[in-house]
């Protein structure tokens, strides 16, 4: 298993967390830590997870 740090940045909208979590769950990744924030209409999230390799996660996201 690989430990990955994943950063998601973009305009805030409903469903971002659910969309990312769904992809990671489908890949069998286990989320071990997270932080999220909104900044003037933008969203930033950093996740630490254990699971498949970086190339597979990047392609799925």
């Amino acid at each position: 298993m690989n430990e990955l740090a994943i950063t998601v940045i973009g305009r805030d909208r409903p469903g971002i967390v659910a969309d990312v979590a769904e992809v990671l769950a489908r890949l069998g990744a286990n989320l071990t830590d997270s932080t999220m924030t909104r900044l003037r209409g933008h969203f930033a999230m950093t996740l630490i997870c254990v699971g498949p390799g970086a190339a597979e996660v990047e392609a799925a996201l």
Side-chain angles (χ1 to χ4, degrees), residues 19-34:
D19 291 345
V20 173
E22 181 180 337
V23 170
L24 294 174
R26 204 174 22 210
L27 294 173
N30 183 35
L31 184 62
T32 59
D33 205 352
S34 67

Side-chain angles (χ1 to χ4, degrees), residues 2-15:
N2 301 294
E3 186 173 58
L4 301 173
I6 300 168
T7 302
V8 178
I9 301 169
R11 290 210 177 273
D12 191 24
R13 65 166 177 77

